[in-house]
Amino acid sequence: MENKVSMKEKLLGQKARNIYANTAIYIVLAVLGVLWILPIAYLLYTAFRVTPATGIILQLFPDDLELGFGNFGRLFSDTMFLRWMGNTILVAICSCALTTMFILMVSYAFSRMRFKMRKPLMNVMLVLGMFPGFMSMIAVYFILKAMGLTNSLLALILVYSGGAALSYYICKGFFDTLPRSLEEAAILDGASQWTVFWRITLPLSKPIIVYTVLTSFISPWCDFIFVNTIINDAEKYTVALGLYRLINAEKSSFSENFTVFCAGATIVGGLITALFLSMQKYYVEGVSSGAVK
Amino acid sequence: MNNSENLSAAPAEESVAEKPAGAFTRLGRRIKAFVLAIVHGSAVTKVSCLVMGTGQIARKQYVKGALYFLVEVLFILYMVFFGGTYLGHLFAGDLGTKVGADVWNEALGVYEYTSGDNSFLILLYAVVSLFVLLLFLAVWYMNMRCNIANDSTRNIAAKKPPQEYLEILASTKESGSSILLSSRAVSVQGGRVRLTLKGIPENGVLEIGKIPIPFGDIEPNVTRFGPLLVTSVESTEDGATVDLWRDENVYAPIYLPLEIYLRTAEGTPVAAAYMRECGSVPTFKKDAAELINKKFYVPLLVVPLLGLLVFTVMPLIFMILIAFTNYDYEHTPPGALFGWVGFSNFAKIFSIGSGGADFLLVFLRVLAWTFIWAIFATFTNYFFGMILALMINKKGIRFKMLWRTLFVIAIAVPQFVTLLLMQKILDGDGILNVILGTKILWLGDSSNWAIIPRITIIVVNMWIGIPYTILMCTGILMNIPSEMYEAAKLDGAGPFQIFRKIVLPYMLQVTAPYLITQFVGNINNFNVIWLLSGGGPVDNINYGAGSKAQATDLLVTWLYRLTTDVNPQYNLASVIGIVIFIISAALSLITFNRSKSNKNEEDYQ
């Protein structure tokens, strides 16, 4: 009897403690959530702010504040934003297709086949993958020049997908977890590795394919270093470099282009965010499997 | 023929104590065997050494032979018309000798500009040619192995067993002691063969290839016939069982046919097995079919690896070579040459007071900041991200999806956008100072070792990185068995104790590889530093030494500045690149070779 009462009290106490804890957590999450959203809110606000965000006394809410789509208008008329978007979409689609193909091929070979050079090759590729690519950028530039490819989008596609094989790690880890029994049965029935790859492994690998497609589609939208070296012609810029140049062309801390930059960034960010949120599930799966393995 | 030192090449299935042999010893043996196989090989094989493809064509492998021949022709054309000159420069140790200059032309009476050598292109094309040469050697080696494999098949077809044994063979054929090995099984892959000989008399003698083999507990593996090892000989009630193993690691010519006899103690042969290879050289169709089956990894890997070679490995080798030249703003082609200078760039960076500049001190300062940054960036993101993930996933917390999405948006917006935005917000005239009414140079204050920019960068990096950790942790945290929490709670553990004693150890163990990858990623985190502070503020202690390093520069951003500066110093940048490479490579190799997934690769199936 006594025991039961104390148990009850204990539970009640725990409940009360839980409520305090949860309230504290709600407060922390709300504060941090606001902190995380504020810069993005500022981005959106600036994108729609027609009053220049420059001047000697910059104000968050000036008296003559005017909101509207003026920056977007300027973005489309004064810059080659649409062109940059087109370029980026083209590069992203092509390099994403190639990259995904390469990664799947390499991962399958490393995960399912056994050959003499496998382990050394895997280690070498791992080390190469740790090497920041842009360090050898000048050499890449001249190799492309020797191929007559500088200043072209094809060069970008080649550079982005050329090193793709290095990120085999996550995908290989996924293939490793797939059960082998199906394949073994198929091979006993006389199927070749080719058939197994297409008919058995790939259909089972939807999550990792989506993850690979997603990450490789997004990366050309974010890179500006390679584009900066390979492409000089403003008509062939991708959005990242175009927008980067818009505010970093002159080193002055604030240019009047800042609001236009924000308008462009809103469009790009909105697109990528929409894509990302709709595919979030697969992304999480890929990230966590890559981390554990 | 008794090569007892070849023990280490024994297949793993045989439980033989392996004699450890160094990689070089093994390589030496393989080369020796390879050369021997060619020396003992047929005439066409020897011709194939020089004219690739002839051996294959002589054996009616027309397509394969033609392809090899074509490769050789293309290689020779490449070397004669292009690559040869550049390789010549490389091996002669110069990178061009002719400086571009205005030369007086007598006939026309004007100065004409004659272009000189371009050291950069010479070095680049030399590297390319070196790779072409290596690729060609690989193809040549494949060609020779194909020929050696063909040889083993052909020789056997030509030889006939001696007459006296043929009779015995005929008599023992029915008993199944005549063994035919398919040429594929013998020449390409390792394989095991078991011979059963019937009709042995007491105290009989077993002879393999004219060498008497004792029965019973013979030392396994000592007897070797080219690539064939005798792994065991056992006497049965009415005969003997001989186990042979085809050693795939030995390219020696196969001493087949191999005659195996049982004799009585007096020497009268009673039973025999005659091993020979049958079958013919593989057809092109068969070879091609292998490519989508057993050798499927070849077509799978060839294109991705070629891409890697052209866009990663070749440029990398090139940049490493640059570290040994004097390629800087004073030696920039066209117009000036650069050449080899040995280790003097390394000496410049790693010695004190050379050339009036204390490069070593600057280097150590940048290196120290790189590590401090990497440690803080990695662990702040990791711990705060984990705590936030725990909060969001706590039982009883509502709107989980909303909280997660709030943070995830920060990942979805491209990094260059958020970073440039942050840079503008944190500017001296930026909105943060406007709101706070202050004039703090968040990213530009160089006083006190630039402590303010350093802290600011780490904080901004948390804004960018914590959402990643939240995403990653969410999945893993759910794997912690809930009974563990319940048990801990019943024992009266508070949330902090649970975190310290249960969650943290579990997470650290599971995500160790992720942590190291993040650490290496942060050492090379170009974007965050470059887009936020650009490496700045300019800090006179560092910059003044002619090193161009600024206060918040990491090794990578310093390297980038050295190459994109008005007065670029590619040679020093390459030395820094090599240092970065060594650090990253060492860290990642240690991690992954120790990680659980690498060791227990097969466990997951």
Side-chain angles (χ1 to χ4, degrees):
Chain A
M1 203 57 184
E2 223 179 82
N3 205 1
K4 231 179 193 173
V5 171
S6 75
M7 209 41 189
K8 210 173 178 184
E9 269 175 359
K10 211 174 169 185
L11 275 176
L12 272 176
Q14 221 172 38
K15 216 172 184 181
R17 241 184 23 211
N18 215 10
I19 287 170
Y20 290 135
N22 282 1
T23 318
I25 288 176
Y26 280 127
I27 291 170
V28 170
L29 284 180
V31 169
L32 289 179
V34 168
L35 270 182
W36 249 263
I37 238 40
L38 264 183
I40 292 167
Y42 178 62
L43 176 79
L44 288 173
Y45 166 66
T46 316
F48 288 99
R49 169 182 169 149
V50 181
T51 328
T54 56
I56 301 159
I57 307 160
L58 176 76
Q59 283 176 309
L60 187 56
F61 300 110
D63 297 334
D64 55 344
L65 178 69
E66 193 188 324
L67 294 175
F69 286 92
N71 294 321
F72 293 91
R74 277 182 61 202
L75 184 69
F76 291 124
S77 60
D78 297 359
T79 73
M80 284 180 272
F81 186 73
L82 277 179
R83 181 111 207 193
W84 298 340
M85 281 292 270
N87 290 342
T88 316
I89 290 174
L90 181 75
V91 170
I93 289 176
C94 294
S95 78
C96 152
L98 281 176
T99 303
T100 310
M101 223 167 71
F102 285 176
I103 290 184
L104 288 175
M105 283 157 70
V106 171
S107 308
Y108 183 83
F110 283 157
S111 168
R112 283 310 195 251
M113 313 220 45
R114 291 290 177 271
F115 44 95
K116 242 181 243 162
M117 292 303 289
R118 197 180 74 101
K119 275 266 156 91
L121 210 55
M122 277 166 61
N123 277 339
V124 167
M125 284 170 72
L126 202 75
V127 171
L128 285 179
M130 293 287 162
F131 200 69
F134 67 86
M135 270 169 54
S136 44
M137 214 161 42
I138 310 155
V140 172
Y141 172 75
F142 278 95
I143 289 174
L144 288 168
K145 202 173 172 185
M147 294 162 122
L149 280 178
T150 44
N151 245 340
S152 82
L153 294 178
L154 180 62
L156 274 186
I157 297 170
L158 287 180
V159 169
Y160 289 146
S161 45
L166 294 178
S167 25
Y168 70 89
Y169 200 73
I170 289 179
C171 187
K172 185 209 163 246
F174 179 87
F175 282 162
D176 280 347
T177 58
L178 289 180
R180 279 212 162 170
S181 48
L182 263 176
E183 288 163 35
E184 276 160 7
I187 286 173
L188 277 182
D189 286 345
S192 63
Q193 288 286 344
W194 165 270
T195 324
V196 171
F197 178 61
W198 284 103
R199 294 284 173 79
I200 296 175
T201 310
L202 286 193
L204 287 175
S205 314
K206 195 181 154 205
I208 207 69
I209 295 177
V210 176
Y211 171 79
T212 317
V213 167
L214 186 68
T215 46
S216 57
F217 185 81
I218 290 178
S219 70
W221 295 83
C222 306
D223 169 67
F224 63 94
I225 312 171
F226 264 109
V227 201
N228 199 7
T229 322
I230 295 169
I231 289 178
N232 309 312
D233 187 352
E235 280 209 350
K236 301 236 167 85
Y237 283 176
T238 59
V239 274
L241 183 63
L243 291 178
Y244 176 70
R245 280 280 170 90
L246 208 58
I247 52 169
N248 258 53
E250 60 264 58
K251 266 287 176 187
S252 69
S253 59
F254 271 95
S255 71
E256 51 186 298
N257 281 336
F258 182 54
T259 50
V260 182
F261 165 82
C262 286
T266 304
I267 296 177
V268 176
L271 269 176
I272 302 283
T273 309
L275 187 71
F276 194 90
L277 288 182
S278 59
M279 302 278 181
Q280 196 189 342
K281 194 183 101 194
Y282 297 106
Y283 187 83
V284 174
E285 235 167 276
V287 168
S288 20
S289 76
V292 181
K293 295 279 307 173
Chain B
M1 266 202 272
N2 281 13
N3 289 343
S4 53
E5 76 269 9
N6 264 352
L7 267 181
S8 64
E13 278 93 81
E14 308 298 325
S15 55
V16 179
E18 286 207 7
K19 208 190 269 178
F24 284 108
T25 332
R26 266 178 303 176
L27 187 71
R29 274 187 208 141
R30 294 183 79 177
I31 292 172
K32 193 177 155 198
F34 179 71
V35 173
L36 271 178
I38 295 172
V39 172
H40 292 291
S42 64
V44 277
T45 299
K46 283 167 194 158
V47 176
S48 261
C49 281
L50 290 176
V51 188
M52 278 163 45
T54 41
Q56 287 84 346
I57 289 173
R59 277 135 190 183
K60 298 198 171 124
Q61 293 175 313
Y62 296 116
V63 183
K64 209 186 208 178
L67 284 176
Y68 276 122
F69 187 68
L70 188 71
V71 168
E72 180 160 357
V73 170
L74 286 177
F75 172 75
I76 291 172
L77 286 178
Y78 171 83
M79 279 302 168
V80 168
F81 290 107
F82 187 80
T85 6
Y86 297 108
L87 278 184
H89 276 293
L90 191 65
F91 292 126
D94 73 84
L95 293 170
T97 43
K98 222 167 59 186
V99 185
D102 291 327
V103 176
W104 176 251
N105 185 327
E106 288 270 337
L108 292 172
V110 287
Y111 278 103
E112 272 181 348
Y113 182 79
T114 52
S115 61
D117 291 333
N118 185 332
S119 306
F120 187 92
L121 291 182
I122 288 176
L123 184 58
L124 183 69
Y125 292 147
V127 171
V128 173
S129 304
L130 206 61
F131 273 91
V132 172
L133 181 68
L134 287 178
L135 279 180
F136 174 75
L137 284 179
V139 175
W140 179 84
Y141 179 71
M142 270 164 55
N143 161 60
M144 289 323 291
R145 280 202 53 189
C146 171
N147 271 305
I148 292 168
N150 285 349
D151 269 354
S152 63
T153 324
R154 216 186 71 101
N155 282 346
I156 288 134
K159 267 187 203 162
K160 269 188 178 175
Q163 188 57 43
E164 45 173 328
Y165 299 136
L166 274 179
E167 286 157 23
I168 308 163
L169 276 174
S171 68
T172 53
K173 225 170 197 166
E174 295 90 58
S175 65
S177 55
S178 167
I179 308 292
L180 292 181
L181 282 166
S182 86
S183 68
R184 277 329 243 181
V186 168
S187 63
V188 178
Q189 291 148 310
R192 165 184 246 155
V193 183
R194 168 161 285 194
L195 301 172
T196 315
L197 298 159
K198 290 191 173 159
I200 188 185
E202 293 255 329
N203 305 321
V205 181
L206 176 74
E207 245 179 42
I208 300 177
K210 307 220 166 89
I211 294 173
I213 310 281
F215 276 92
D217 297 330
I218 66 158
E219 194 146 322
N221 279 332
V222 250
T223 316
R224 172 184 281 277
F225 302 91
L228 274 175
L229 304 165
V230 179
T231 54
S232 87
V233 177
E234 275 167 34
S235 60
T236 56
E237 272 180 25
D238 59 341
T241 324
V242 183
D243 280 327
L244 295 162
W245 179 270
R246 192 341 180 151
D247 187 346
E248 63 195 281
N249 295 316
V250 178
Y251 298 118
I254 304 172
Y255 298 109
L256 287 178
L258 201 59
E259 295 120 17
I260 301 162
Y261 300 100
L262 278 173
R263 300 170 195 278
T264 58
E266 295 77 45
T268 326
V270 284
Y274 172 65
M275 286 180 63
R276 68 174 179 88
E277 288 190 89
C278 68
S280 55
V281 294
T283 60
F284 185 69
K285 223 171 144 185
K286 208 173 153 197
D287 276 335
E290 281 281 271
L291 284 182
I292 61 157
N293 204 4
K294 278 209 177 101
K295 294 202 166 164
F296 191 37
Y297 61 87
V298 177
L300 281 180
L301 288 176
V302 83
V303 180
L305 290 191
L306 218 60
L308 216 58
L309 201 68
V310 175
F311 291 110
T312 306
V313 180
M314 241 153 53
L316 194 68
I317 304 275
F318 178 81
M319 286 315 273
I320 289 175
L321 289 177
I322 289 286
F324 300 93
T325 68
N326 57 357
Y327 181 25
D328 57 18
Y329 56 97
E330 283 172 346
H331 305 89
T332 304
L337 299 171
F338 63 83
W340 300 110
V341 294
F343 283 90
S344 70
N345 296 319
F346 291 85
K348 184 171 181 191
I349 287 192
F350 296 119
S351 62
I352 297 171
S354 63
D358 254 353
F359 243 102
L360 180 67
L361 222 59
V362 176
F363 173 80
L364 288 179
R365 237 181 249 138
V366 177
L367 187 73
W369 164 239
T370 304
F371 272 95
I372 292 172
W373 145 261
I375 290 168
F376 273 100
T378 309
F379 286 96
T380 49
N381 282 351
Y382 187 69
F383 284 113
F384 290 116
M386 198 182 347
I387 291 170
L388 270 180
L390 280 172
M391 286 182 175
I392 294 174
N393 289 313
K394 186 175 181 284
K395 240 192 216 163
I397 294 289
R398 297 175 65 192
F399 315 119
K400 286 187 163 55
M401 202 53 206
L402 168 81
W403 300 122
R404 218 173 286 152
T405 311
L406 269 182
F407 292 104
V408 164
I409 287 175
I411 302 182
V413 179
Q415 246 186 41
F416 82 95
V417 168
T418 43
L419 286 170
L420 282 173
L421 184 75
M422 288 288 192
Q423 184 213 323
K424 296 298 178 198
I425 290 175
L426 295 167
D427 192 273
D429 300 328
I431 201 72
L432 185 64
N433 276 336
V434 172
I435 293 171
L436 296 178
T438 50
K439 268 277 167 209
I440 302 170
L441 293 171
W442 297 103
L443 293 167
D445 191 344
S446 64
S447 57
N448 292 325
W449 296 87
I451 190 77
I452 296 177
R454 290 181 208 271
I455 293 174
T456 311
I457 289 172
I458 290 173
V459 171
V460 172
N461 183 63
M462 279 163 67
W463 189 89
I464 288 179
I466 283 179
Y468 280 99
T469 322
I470 295 179
L471 271 192
M472 184 212 55
C473 287
T474 304
I476 301 170
L477 285 174
M478 287 174 187
N479 290 342
I480 302 181
S482 53
E483 298 92 60
M484 275 172 80
Y485 289 118
E486 306 292 329
K489 261 186 208 161
L490 280 181
D491 288 348
F496 290 104
Q497 269 174 310
I498 292 180
F499 177 74
R500 218 164 52 91
K501 293 271 163 71
I502 297 178
V503 180
L504 198 57
Y506 179 82
M507 288 298 286
L508 279 178
Q509 192 202 352
V510 171
T511 58
Y514 170 83
L515 263 181
I516 306 271
T517 328
Q518 285 297 301
F519 188 74
V520 176
N522 277 324
I523 286 180
N524 298 323
N525 202 333
F526 179 83
N527 273 358
V528 170
I529 302 286
W530 191 255
L531 290 178
L532 277 181
S533 68
V538 174
D539 162 346
N540 286 331
I541 323 166
N542 289 338
Y543 200 78
S547 64
K548 305 263 163 71
Q550 300 182 5
T552 57
D553 259 333
L554 302 180
L555 287 172
V556 261
T557 54
W558 183 23
L559 177 151
Y560 187 72
R561 180 166 310 106
L562 283 173
T563 60
T564 52
D565 194 73
V566 220
N567 292 331
Q569 288 173 288
Y570 301 104
N571 49 351
L572 295 185
S574 290
V575 177
I576 297 167
I578 291 175
V579 173
I580 298 174
F581 185 66
I582 292 172
I583 296 173
S584 317
L587 282 174
S588 49
L589 269 186
I590 292 170
T591 330
F592 285 98
N593 281 333
R594 284 193 181 173
S595 80
K596 220 172 89 195
S597 63
N598 199 333
K599 277 183 189 151
N600 309 337
E601 215 171 7
E602 317 283 342
D603 287 1
Y604 286 83
Q605 274 120 40

